[in-house]
Amino acid sequence: MIGTTAFIGIRYARARSDNRFLSFMTWISLLGLTLGVIALIVVISVMNGFGAELERRILGAIPHIIVTDADVSPDELRDITGVTGVSRFSRHSALLINGSSSNSELVGLYGIEPSLEKTISIIPEQMVSGNLDKLSTVRLGIVFGQSLAFRLGVTKSDPVTVLIPVMIGDRIRTVVLNAKLTGTFQLDSDLDYRLALMDAMQLQKALDRPVNSFRLKVDDFFAAPTIGRQINKLFGGQVTDWTSEYGDFFRTVKMEKIMMFLLLILIVGIAAFSIVSSLSMLVKEKQADIAVLKTCGMSSRGVTMIFVIQGALIGILGVVFGAVIGIPLAYNIPEVVNQLESLFGVRMLAGTYFDSIPTDVRYSDIAVVLGASLVISLIATIYPAYRAASIRPAEVLRYE
């Protein structure tokens, strides 16, 4: 029986109908489903690309975990599963001033170990001028973003006044340091305007405060809270991770991806309505054939399967065509957008930190897209198939 229903369902799908509007609706259903799958694959890949770039540019530069006042050594921290780098670290708020022009900017000042920074962050790879190694050889050397240097009006080797508030007992004392700009970096993120680096040991001497914190890098950004709780349980102290500062931001990015998926799945839903319409008209057109089949002994379940199979064929073809077109397009979307920008003379990313559209094709997400689209197309066959199974042969054949 299954072979018979499959044969009839495929035959109905391949047969040319005299009803041109029915054929047009079938093609519209197929085209709508294909476009919906293409849009989902491309947009989700672009959203993944933006998310991955933001993770690299922001989480690649800031501490993943900070451990303070804990009874632990660097080697013990390195032995923890998931930790890939450890260095001594201090963090302060500071005001940078260009003495010659009085330009000033408030920044986060990191005290780092320059020799270990390449194992901790991407900043050494993003240096525009100078290098981090000079921080340990130049007295009170400082490095910050090239954009911040432009805003302050300073260049390499220029003096920079650094004001750091320090809590002493119940009073705040401001320490003034005469630093020297030894290099600039460019992360293409907001950190270019509000992050500065100095040697941790030099800061310790200048501020007369011990460096009692460690900065940790982990291999999985999103495992940082779990690893932090594990460290706190083992060694005590104060443990913070990147989510305390940037957690809301990346949760928002994730929520935007989910909402975009839900909005674009509506395109597939619209195509599914077209499948409902085309199959309903086919049931109306083929009701005499259905009545004959039921008279010959085919069960209502068999009739249902005929139209489920036909709707599934539309869904499968739409999903396959969408994947065949959408996946290569997702990989090449930066080039496609560049061509469109050249053609129309516009910049889609003008005023942002991005020079081109990033893309990150993840086959796990594509599998979800294809699966969801196929399920929606199958659900769309339920009502027409039920209508077909409900046909009463005696009433249909009465006037034949």
Side-chain angles (χ1 to χ4, degrees), residues 355-369:
D355 296 325
S356 61
I357 298 287
T359 183
D360 182 9
V361 180
R362 301 177 186 174
Y363 285 95
S364 57
D365 287 346
I366 291 176
V368 172
V369 168

Side-chain angles (χ1 to χ4, degrees), residues 41-57 253 257 330 333-334 354 356-362 365:
I41 291 175
V42 171
V43 172
I44 294 300
S45 297
V46 169
M47 293 290 290
N48 287 337
F50 277 112
E53 276 297 302
L54 289 172
E55 289 173 10
R56 185 186 69 83
R57 298 180 186 189
V253 172
K257 176 184 173 181
I333 195 65
F354 295 90
S356 61
I357 298 287
T359 183
D360 182 9
V361 180
R362 301 177 186 174
D365 287 346

Side-chain angles (χ1 to χ4, degrees), residues 67-84:
V67 181
T68 306
D69 295 329
D71 185 17
V72 63
S73 68
D75 291 336
E76 288 176 308
L77 291 173
R78 290 189 185 95
D79 289 339
I80 295 175
T81 303
V83 175
T84 58

Side-chain angles (χ1 to χ4, degrees), residues 4 25 38 116 152 206 216-217 222 226 238 249 282 299 302 306 314 327 339 363 384 394:
T4 303
M25 287 296 297
I38 292 172
L116 296 178
L152 287 173
L216 278 62
K217 178 184 178 182
F222 299 99
T226 302
Q238 180 181 353
F249 174 76
L282 182 64
S299 65
I306 290 174
I314 298 174
I327 293 175
Q339 291 296 325
Y363 285 95

Side-chain angles (χ1 to χ4, degrees), residues 89 96 138 154 205 258 340 395:
F89 176 80
L96 306 185
V138 175
V154 296
K205 294 178 182 178
I258 295 173
L340 292 175
E395 294 181 2

